[in-house]
Amino acid sequence: MDCIFCKIAAGQIPAKLVHEDAEVVAFRDINPVAPTHILIIPREHIETVNDLEPGQAGMVGKLHLVARELARAEGLSERGYRLILNCGPEAGQAVFHIHLHLIGGRKMAWPPG
């Protein structure tokens, strides 16, 4: 498989890891859009939200719980932060391995781009 996120999760490509466990890896985005921009991925390769199966619901929940803990560690809990999970090219998904963006540290606009 030629998935960059799978290679990061496997330690084959270096990244600035901020969390790692048996199911989830989180690392700083190389092109941040805010002072805090962390990508949270499952180790399991799943291309898009459309490919999720009911048995993977716990893993999707864990992505959000890891995001919550990282937001606390980054000092964002009280100020606020944004979680984004894009699905497909028109939504802006560039890497086809599901990933949750944790973005914070600046005022966000609505609606997003």
mmCIF file of all heavy atoms in Angstrom, residues 48-51 85-93 96:
data_model
loop_
_atom_site.group_PDB
_atom_site.id
_atom_site.type_symbol
_atom_site.label_atom_id
_atom_site.label_comp_id
_atom_site.label_asym_id
_atom_site.label_seq_id
_atom_site.Cartn_x
_atom_site.Cartn_y
_atom_site.Cartn_z
ATOM 1 N N THR A 48 -12.200 6.584 3.293
ATOM 2 C CA THR A 48 -13.094 7.718 3.536
ATOM 3 C C THR A 48 -14.149 7.331 4.572
ATOM 4 O O THR A 48 -14.312 6.148 4.894
ATOM 5 C CB THR A 48 -13.839 8.179 2.253
ATOM 6 O OG1 THR A 48 -14.855 7.232 1.934
ATOM 7 C CG2 THR A 48 -12.894 8.369 1.076
ATOM 8 N N VAL A 49 -14.880 8.302 5.033
ATOM 9 C CA VAL A 49 -15.991 8.046 5.948
ATOM 10 C C VAL A 49 -16.993 7.095 5.289
ATOM 11 O O VAL A 49 -17.602 6.262 5.957
ATOM 12 C CB VAL A 49 -16.664 9.373 6.370
ATOM 13 C CG1 VAL A 49 -17.947 9.132 7.129
ATOM 14 C CG2 VAL A 49 -15.704 10.205 7.207
ATOM 15 N N ASN A 50 -17.141 7.186 3.979
ATOM 16 C CA ASN A 50 -18.061 6.302 3.257
ATOM 17 C C ASN A 50 -17.679 4.830 3.372
ATOM 18 O O ASN A 50 -18.510 3.957 3.122
ATOM 19 C CB ASN A 50 -18.135 6.677 1.782
ATOM 20 C CG ASN A 50 -18.781 8.023 1.557
ATOM 21 O OD1 ASN A 50 -19.583 8.475 2.358
ATOM 22 N ND2 ASN A 50 -18.418 8.677 0.478
ATOM 23 N N ASP A 51 -16.425 4.556 3.725
ATOM 24 C CA ASP A 51 -15.941 3.177 3.831
ATOM 25 C C ASP A 51 -16.031 2.613 5.246
ATOM 26 O O ASP A 51 -15.659 1.464 5.473
ATOM 27 C CB ASP A 51 -14.490 3.102 3.336
ATOM 28 C CG ASP A 51 -14.369 3.524 1.890
ATOM 29 O OD1 ASP A 51 -15.104 2.967 1.050
ATOM 30 O OD2 ASP A 51 -13.565 4.431 1.590
ATOM 31 N N LEU A 85 -13.466 16.463 9.696
ATOM 32 C CA LEU A 85 -13.281 15.157 9.076
ATOM 33 C C LEU A 85 -13.844 15.267 7.665
ATOM 34 O O LEU A 85 -15.055 15.215 7.464
ATOM 35 C CB LEU A 85 -14.010 14.077 9.888
ATOM 36 C CG LEU A 85 -13.860 12.643 9.441
ATOM 37 C CD1 LEU A 85 -12.401 12.196 9.518
ATOM 38 C CD2 LEU A 85 -14.709 11.736 10.313
ATOM 39 N N ASN A 86 -12.974 15.495 6.688
ATOM 40 C CA ASN A 86 -13.389 15.667 5.305
ATOM 41 C C ASN A 86 -13.649 14.311 4.654
ATOM 42 O O ASN A 86 -12.989 13.323 4.978
ATOM 43 C CB ASN A 86 -12.305 16.398 4.503
ATOM 44 C CG ASN A 86 -12.063 17.799 5.010
ATOM 45 O OD1 ASN A 86 -12.999 18.516 5.339
ATOM 46 N ND2 ASN A 86 -10.814 18.191 5.091
ATOM 47 N N CYS A 87 -14.580 14.271 3.709
ATOM 48 C CA CYS A 87 -14.898 13.035 2.994
ATOM 49 C C CYS A 87 -14.979 13.321 1.502
ATOM 50 O O CYS A 87 -15.940 13.928 1.029
ATOM 51 C CB CYS A 87 -16.207 12.436 3.506
ATOM 52 S SG CYS A 87 -16.628 10.871 2.705
ATOM 53 N N GLY A 88 -13.956 12.924 0.781
ATOM 54 C CA GLY A 88 -13.944 13.061 -0.671
ATOM 55 C C GLY A 88 -13.272 14.327 -1.157
ATOM 56 O O GLY A 88 -13.039 15.266 -0.399
ATOM 57 N N PRO A 89 -12.936 14.337 -2.441
ATOM 58 C CA PRO A 89 -12.169 15.448 -3.010
ATOM 59 C C PRO A 89 -12.869 16.807 -2.939
ATOM 60 O O PRO A 89 -12.233 17.813 -2.666
ATOM 61 C CB PRO A 89 -11.912 15.029 -4.452
ATOM 62 C CG PRO A 89 -12.663 13.782 -4.699
ATOM 63 C CD PRO A 89 -13.181 13.275 -3.401
ATOM 64 N N GLU A 90 -14.176 16.863 -3.163
ATOM 65 C CA GLU A 90 -14.858 18.165 -3.122
ATOM 66 C C GLU A 90 -14.925 18.733 -1.717
ATOM 67 O O GLU A 90 -15.085 19.940 -1.540
ATOM 68 C CB GLU A 90 -16.261 18.067 -3.737
ATOM 69 C CG GLU A 90 -16.212 17.988 -5.244
ATOM 70 C CD GLU A 90 -17.565 18.217 -5.889
ATOM 71 O OE1 GLU A 90 -18.489 18.748 -5.226
ATOM 72 O OE2 GLU A 90 -17.683 17.861 -7.069
ATOM 73 N N ALA A 91 -14.778 17.881 -0.707
ATOM 74 C CA ALA A 91 -14.754 18.347 0.683
ATOM 75 C C ALA A 91 -13.352 18.768 1.108
ATOM 76 O O ALA A 91 -13.174 19.307 2.183
ATOM 77 C CB ALA A 91 -15.268 17.254 1.608
ATOM 78 N N GLY A 92 -12.361 18.491 0.265
ATOM 79 C CA GLY A 92 -10.991 18.866 0.579
ATOM 80 C C GLY A 92 -10.126 17.724 1.066
ATOM 81 O O GLY A 92 -8.995 17.948 1.493
ATOM 82 N N GLN A 93 -10.625 16.490 1.020
ATOM 83 C CA GLN A 93 -9.794 15.358 1.442
ATOM 84 C C GLN A 93 -8.688 15.150 0.417
ATOM 85 O O GLN A 93 -8.954 14.863 -0.748
ATOM 86 C CB GLN A 93 -10.628 14.081 1.599
ATOM 87 C CG GLN A 93 -9.831 12.927 2.169
ATOM 88 C CD GLN A 93 -10.665 11.667 2.396
ATOM 89 O OE1 GLN A 93 -11.836 11.610 2.044
ATOM 90 N NE2 GLN A 93 -10.037 10.677 2.989
ATOM 91 N N PHE A 96 -6.270 9.956 1.195
ATOM 92 C CA PHE A 96 -7.399 9.038 1.323
ATOM 93 C C PHE A 96 -7.120 7.942 2.339
ATOM 94 O O PHE A 96 -6.940 6.772 2.033
ATOM 95 C CB PHE A 96 -7.830 8.527 -0.060
ATOM 96 C CG PHE A 96 -8.555 9.610 -0.805
ATOM 97 C CD1 PHE A 96 -7.852 10.573 -1.513
ATOM 98 C CD2 PHE A 96 -9.922 9.733 -0.704
ATOM 99 C CE1 PHE A 96 -8.512 11.601 -2.143
ATOM 100 C CE2 PHE A 96 -10.601 10.768 -1.328
ATOM 101 C CZ PHE A 96 -9.893 11.713 -2.059
#
